[in-house]
Amino acid sequence: MRAQSIAVPVVVLAALLVGCSGGSDTTGVDVSLKEFAVTPDPIDVDAGETDFTADNIGTEVHEMVIVRAKSAADLPTDADGAVDEEQMVKADQIGEVEDVPVGKTKSISFDLKAGDYVIFCNIVDDEADGTKLSHFKQGMHSTFSVN
């Protein structure tokens, strides 16, 4: 009888701890932005609500754009080498965080479905010599998977 009286409170306590563990179905992804790389961590998550934190660790302003695509090579580009967002299917355009200042972070959440995604910076800088510098063309993109 004594064993049962101890076991019941332990089971109840365990159930309470599990119930208080947050229970959030939201996944977090940290995305580092710098010249000229986009690094998501982790690179794959389960489908559902996903919080993205864009952290600009570079020396220039960057942005984080998320689109549904198998690879960066699948995205339409313009003459400057930036992604031509006007040519993309609207349903594949998930969203973006614009103009993340140097040393700052910005966050955003999306309800993601299973599939392949590309995260990129689509800023185009005007250089002193009159040329354009596309962050995307310089390699500032990464793939991301949702299971």
Side-chain angles (χ1 to χ4, degrees), residues 20 51 59-60 98 122 132:
C20 293
D51 295 335
T59 60
E60 299 179 23
E98 295 180 338
N122 210 29
K132 304 277 188 181

Side-chain angles (χ1 to χ4, degrees), residues 61-88:
V61 172
H62 293 294
E63 68 179 4
M64 179 187 71
V65 182
I66 301 174
V67 299
R68 189 175 181 125
K70 288 224 177 264
S71 73
D74 291 339
L75 301 177
T77 56
D78 61 20
D80 297 327
V83 175
D84 187 346
E85 295 177 52
E86 297 293 320
Q87 298 299 315
M88 293 191 63

Side-chain angles (χ1 to χ4, degrees), residues 65 70-71 76 84 86 90 103 110 114 124 127 135 143:
V65 182
K70 288 224 177 264
S71 73
D84 187 346
E86 297 293 320
K90 292 293 181 201
F110 300 108
V124 177
E127 298 295 293
H135 292 205
T143 56

Side-chain angles (χ1 to χ4, degrees), residues 26-33 37-46 50-55 57 64 66 119 141-145:
T26 302
T27 300
V29 178
D30 295 320
V31 181
S32 296
L33 306 171
V38 173
T39 309
D41 182 29
I43 60 170
D44 58 31
V45 297
D46 291 332
T50 305
D51 295 335
F52 289 87
T53 300
D55 183 11
I57 60 173
M64 179 187 71
I66 301 174
I119 302 173
H141 48 77
S142 183
T143 56
F144 180 81
S145 297

